[in-house]
């Protein structure tokens, strides 16, 4: 679903920061070789992630849902010199693709890939995070949030992607549509949890910014 007209979306992109060349290459190769390329964060959202990371200046970043590595590289643009990004995905076939682009960037040695279920991997990460980006299976968003919150530094930021779910959050919900049901509950949790403050941005498919109090 396009929440803005294509003309307005193009205007917004034209008047936002340019996409770095490495990310343009990654974008192009993803569309050429990888299934479901629409899962890519894309140029505009990528610049939003980059800007937020630069404002936060995180040391430890966690990403849940790597896909081809585009958003991870955007988040690394604001990372401190001694910082680390941990990224988790279940697709073994994408690991080498991700690593190729990670190693082409200046942050290759700061990016650690984890293969497997995030609900199992997150508890093994003995770190406090400054920035987390959730962009994986929607059915587990609440589980991810509950696992992540105790591992956040005060003032840390949790970003949640796809929270508008192509507009399904304001439409009648199919009885078998578990993803939409979970997202509706998740959005309520983010709004009402007194441990965070939240703003939902109508960027792409919805991006929630939650600050840990």
């Amino acid at each position: 679903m396009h929440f803005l007209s294509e003309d307005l979306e193009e205007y917004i992109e034209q008047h936002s920061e340019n996409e770095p060349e490495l990310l343009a290459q990654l974008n192009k190769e993803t569309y050429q070789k990888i299934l479901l390329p629409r899962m890519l964060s894309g140029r505009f959202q990528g610049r939003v992630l980059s800007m937020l990371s630069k404002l936060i200046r995180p040391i430890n970043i966690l990403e849940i849902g790597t896909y081809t590595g585009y958003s991870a590289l955007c988040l690394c643009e604001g990372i401190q010199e001694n910082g680390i990004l941990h990224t988790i995905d279940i697709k073994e076939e994408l690991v080498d693709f991700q690593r190729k682009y990670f190693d082409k960037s200046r942050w290759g040695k700061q990016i650690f890939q984890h293969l497997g279920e995030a609900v199992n991997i997150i508890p093994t990460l003995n770190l406090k995070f400054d920035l987390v980006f959730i962009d994986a299976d929607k059915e587990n968003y609440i589980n991810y949030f509950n696992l992540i919150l105790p591992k956040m530094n005060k003032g840390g930021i949790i970003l949640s992607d796809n929270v508008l779910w192509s507009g399904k959050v304001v439409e009648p919900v199919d009885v078998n549509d578990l993803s939409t049901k979970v997202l509706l509950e998740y959005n309520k949790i983010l709004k009402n949890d007194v441990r965070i403050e939240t703003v939902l941005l109508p960027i792409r498919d919805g991006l929630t910014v939650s600050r840990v109090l």
Side-chain angles (χ1 to χ4, degrees):
M1 173 181 287
H2 285 273
F3 300 111
L4 298 173
S5 70
E6 291 187 12
D7 287 343
L8 272 176
E9 287 185 348
E10 184 177 347
Y11 182 89
I12 290 167
E13 286 199 3
Q14 289 173 351
H15 291 82
S16 297
E17 195 67 21
N18 291 333
E19 181 181 50
E21 178 57 32
L22 180 63
L23 290 179
Q25 294 173 14
L26 194 165
N27 195 332
K28 182 177 180 180
E29 189 171 358
T30 297
Y31 272 84
Q32 288 174 335
K33 298 180 179 179
I34 308 298
L35 291 173
L36 303 175
R38 286 182 65 254
M39 290 175 59
L40 198 76
S41 287
R43 174 182 165 183
F44 176 64
Q45 183 170 338
R47 292 307 86 208
V48 172
L49 296 177
S50 169
M51 181 66 76
L52 289 172
S53 185
K54 288 170 182 173
L55 291 170
I56 297 163
R57 297 291 292 139
I59 295 176
N60 292 322
I61 304 174
L62 173 63
E63 177 184 53
I64 305 172
T66 317
Y67 191 47
T68 56
Y70 190 100
S71 53
L73 291 173
C74 294
L75 295 169
C76 279
E77 291 181 33
I79 200 169
Q80 296 190 32
E81 287 186 8
N82 61 333
I84 291 174
L85 182 144
H86 290 270
T87 186
I88 305 170
D89 206 285
I90 60 171
K91 290 185 169 56
E92 185 175 1
E93 65 272 18
L94 293 178
V95 170
D96 291 342
F97 186 101
Q98 299 159 5
R99 179 47 59 184
K100 178 176 72 171
Y101 279 94
F102 292 161
D103 288 343
K104 284 183 177 182
S105 78
R106 67 176 186 266
W107 305 288
K109 293 182 180 179
Q110 295 172 263
I111 301 175
F112 292 84
Q113 296 161 280
H114 300 270
L115 181 64
E117 297 286 348
V119 290
N120 298 325
I121 293 170
I122 294 169
T124 71
L125 302 176
N126 190 25
L127 292 169
K128 287 284 190 175
F129 293 100
D130 307 297
L131 177 58
V132 173
F133 183 42
I134 304 175
D135 186 19
D137 56 313
K138 311 312 162 195
E139 293 87 347
N140 270 310
Y141 265 36
I142 296 172
N143 294 328
Y144 297 149
F145 176 76
N146 289 331
L147 288 169
I148 288 165
L149 195 58
K151 294 178 176 289
M152 297 296 297
N153 283 319
K154 185 176 180 180
I157 299 294
I158 301 171
L159 304 173
S160 308
D161 200 14
N162 304 116
V163 291
L164 295 180
W165 207 223
S166 298
K168 293 180 181 179
V169 290
V170 292
E171 297 173 352
V173 181
D174 186 284
V175 66
N176 296 316
D177 187 352
L178 179 59
S179 294
T180 301
K181 289 179 180 178
V182 172
L183 281 173
L184 286 167
E185 181 63 24
Y186 181 69
N187 290 339
K188 288 180 183 177
I189 288 171
L190 295 189
K191 174 64 171 65
N192 296 321
D193 196 310
V194 297
R195 297 170 293 178
I196 58 174
E197 57 181 353
T198 290
V199 61
L200 197 165
L201 304 176
I203 292 172
R204 199 163 173 254
D205 195 25
L207 179 70
T208 298
V209 181
S210 301
R211 177 177 173 268
V212 178
L213 301 175

